[in-house]
Amino acid sequence: DQTVSEFIKTQRALVVEDEQAISQLLKINLQQMGFQVDVFQNAQTAAIELTQQRYALCLLDWMLPGMQGIEFLKEFRPLMKQ
């Protein structure tokens, strides 16, 4: 049986945030929890990564340049379930 912390260490987290200070804060905290973290500044780049990588957790900014976070979620959530 895996403990929660052992399980998290095998998981990836996706952070999509255009404010660098906020994205770095999220990344540091998630890494301290044990996640492997990928950070993207825009939805378009994150969407490409979603086709190549599986994530256990996705943190989205609500207001991203080019595509709102909720639009991103609606469009790419099916990829997150695979």
Side-chain angles (χ1 to χ4, degrees):
D1 283 341
Q2 280 186 320
T3 65
V4 173
S5 62
E6 290 170 338
F7 174 75
I8 287 175
K9 288 179 183 175
T10 66
Q11 301 302 306
R12 298 185 76 84
L14 173 69
V15 175
V16 187
E17 169 60 63
D18 61 324
E19 295 287 335
Q20 189 172 9
I22 295 171
S23 65
Q24 288 304 309
L25 180 65
L26 291 169
K27 181 179 181 177
I28 289 167
N29 281 286
L30 289 168
Q31 286 176 330
Q32 287 178 347
M33 293 174 66
F35 282 97
Q36 297 174 44
V37 183
D38 294 325
V39 176
F40 297 94
Q41 305 296 317
N42 61 67
Q44 292 78 12
T45 309
I48 294 167
E49 186 68 15
L50 275 176
T51 64
Q52 301 173 17
Q53 196 67 247
R54 186 176 179 149
Y55 291 94
L57 177 67
C58 180
L59 298 178
L60 292 168
D61 185 353
W62 193 260
M63 297 177 65
L64 291 165
M67 177 185 278
Q68 299 297 313
I70 194 72
E71 293 172 24
F72 178 90
L73 184 62
K74 287 177 183 176
E75 187 169 341
F76 296 103
R77 189 168 184 188
L79 291 175
M80 294 179 215
K81 292 183 179 182
Q82 295 177 357

